Amino acid sequence: MKESPSVDQWLKEAKADESAPRCGMYLTHNGTVRELPKKLVRQGIDDGTKVVGMNFSYDEAGVEAARQEALQMPGIEYVRVWLNEGSLQVGDDIMYVLIGGDIRPNVADCLQALVGKIKNEMVSEVEIAE
């Protein structure tokens, strides 16, 4: 497990970046380990199990490629990604993403696309249930 970054520090660094004058919005995502199993949240299947942790890993090169791809989206000027790894507990941070861009629709679309791509193609999440 890694130490989580400071979003406040990330925002300071983003606003000091050369891209800052072209950014009218920054949007962050913080994914955490939840106790509700994915099958309940995504499929409505409630068998009474609770998640107590997660084994998490990711494809570092793939995430970097996805980050670079996100920078090519319309209006996007700044993209930063951090992912945890290892054995995580409920409440632990899984992922942080910071997107900076010109207007809200572009930034929101980019965040949705990037987080979706990472979660669907770049990570392995194995829930540990009790």
Side-chain angles (χ1 to χ4, degrees), residues 9-26:
Q9 184 61 38
W10 273 22
L11 283 167
K12 281 182 187 178
E13 292 170 11
K15 291 176 181 181
D17 188 78
E18 64 183 21
S19 66
R22 297 181 303 279
C23 292
M25 179 180 185
Y26 293 94

Side-chain angles (χ1 to χ4, degrees), residues 48-124:
T49 61
K50 299 282 187 215
V51 171
V52 295
M54 173 186 294
N55 291 322
F56 185 83
S57 62
Y58 64 97
D59 172 2
E60 189 172 345
V63 170
E64 177 56 22
R67 189 186 78 78
Q68 291 295 329
E69 184 179 304
L71 281 166
Q72 303 307 309
M73 293 181 72
I76 301 305
E77 299 288 341
Y78 190 89
V79 178
R80 190 161 182 182
V81 178
W82 173 90
L83 285 96
N84 211 338
E85 61 186 347
S87 183
L88 309 178
Q89 305 302 310
V90 171
D92 285 346
D93 295 317
I94 297 172
M95 176 190 320
Y96 280 94
V97 177
L98 173 64
I99 307 289
D102 56 359
I103 59 174
R104 181 181 41 81
N106 288 340
V107 176
D109 287 351
C110 181
L111 182 71
Q112 180 75 10
L114 179 57
V115 170
K117 185 173 189 86
I118 291 169
K119 293 284 286 180
N120 293 326
E121 299 175 24
M122 312 293 168
V123 302
S124 171

Side-chain angles (χ1 to χ4, degrees), residues 31-47:
T32 61
V33 180
R34 66 178 176 269
E35 73 172 9
L36 297 174
K38 188 177 279 189
K39 64 186 171 190
L40 173 58
V41 175
R42 303 263 190 241
Q43 302 165 353
I45 300 170
D46 186 359
D47 61 4

